[in-house]
Amino acid sequence: MNPTPTATPVPILRSTLAGYAFLISHWQRALVAAAPYTLAYIAQLVLMQALGDATGNPALSMGFFLLSLVTVVASLALSAACLRMAVLGDYSGWHGLKAGADEGRIFIVGLLVSALTLLVFIMAFMFWAVVLGSIAAGAMSRAGIDPEAEGLELADAMAYLGTADWAVAGVVGLAAAALLIWLSARLVLALPATIANRKIMVLSAWSLSNGNALRIAAALLLTSLPLLALEAGLYELICAMLGSRPLYVPVPVGADQINAPALAAAEEYLRWNGLMAFINIPVFSGLYAYIYRNRTATPVAGDALA
């Protein structure tokens, strides 16, 4: 039986506070539950650095692959444990960690949600690229240049874009980003719904966000942006103290193997964000659980913010 959404609107600020409150009240359990994942992830990062100096080493490549599998399994166990605690008040297992049906369901739901999000992302990106190409072609035509005759690529054509052209491209890009955020808001309750109902729920949980997609999206942004900013600041402080950037790995792009600093920096912060899973997963588990209970009027024992 699918949960029936209530008419109560999702409170944005209280949802965010509930996520952080869950972390504060469960940080010891979360820290221990995250230990297998954190250790595997650190080992994976160390091996990744070694692979950079020993490209083509089959033993290191196999070790990295196996560590990646261990990291994925450990992250699923951590996510399921935090969701069980947040949604059901279930503290069974070793600090909430188990290896059972919940973890399998979370894995499938994660794959399905990721596939849907990736599909929409690809479509939105392709649309934005077509629009940008059209704008660039128009800018070159205004400059008296035939892009086909000159054989210029998009990267070269972008040099002819003016302020108004960039503004239009930016608006289209923001619209594509807004679509992805809206989709995430519509799908995010699939995780707590799956845990609460002990069955896989993706599109069947879609109705839970009816009329509240913008509020849920706002709660997601209000929770994630300060958290990401604090974690990025912490990483920069650690780098300043060490005098180096331990997670930075140059990214070669193109036939000439030119390093892409912007892409390398983005991957660097993603690695750090993955290392901070012992904070991020509990926070968002608390956020998801609070919104789910708000939408279904489902109480949980000891929930002070319900």
Side-chain angles (χ1 to χ4, degrees), residues 168-188:
V168 174
V171 169
V172 175
L174 288 175
L179 175 62
L180 289 174
I181 294 173
W182 173 85
L183 179 64
S184 298
R186 295 305 305 262
L187 293 174
V188 77

Side-chain angles (χ1 to χ4, degrees), residues 21-163:
F22 180 78
L23 171 66
I24 293 171
S25 60
H26 293 76
W27 70 269
Q28 291 176 310
R29 287 181 179 273
L31 191 63
V32 177
Y37 165 82
T38 304
L39 293 175
Y41 192 78
I42 291 174
Q44 187 179 348
L45 291 176
V46 172
L47 196 55
M48 180 187 66
Q49 297 284 358
L51 276 173
D53 300 326
T55 304
N57 188 313
L60 287 178
S61 298
M62 179 57 68
F64 184 80
F65 174 73
L66 293 176
L67 270 175
S68 299
L69 291 180
V70 172
T71 302
V72 170
V73 172
S75 68
L76 288 171
L78 174 60
S79 297
C82 289
L83 284 168
R84 273 194 299 268
M85 288 187 283
V87 177
L88 301 174
D90 181 357
Y91 299 92
S92 58
W94 183 72
H95 294 277
L97 289 178
K98 292 182 180 180
D102 282 340
E103 287 69 24
R105 285 189 284 261
I106 289 297
F107 175 69
I108 295 174
V109 170
L111 282 181
L112 293 174
V113 170
S114 298
L116 287 170
T117 305
L118 180 61
L119 177 62
V120 174
F121 171 79
I122 293 173
M123 294 174 63
F125 179 80
M126 291 178 63
F127 176 74
W128 178 79
V130 169
V131 171
L132 182 60
S134 299
I135 294 173
M140 292 183 68
S141 297
R142 291 194 301 270
I145 300 173
D146 185 350
E148 293 185 3
E150 294 292 335
L152 296 178
E153 297 182 355
L154 180 60
D156 301 315
M158 288 171 61
Y160 294 90
L161 267 61
T163 303

Side-chain angles (χ1 to χ4, degrees), residues 252-259:
V253 176
D256 297 329
Q257 299 294 294
I258 301 173
N259 289 332

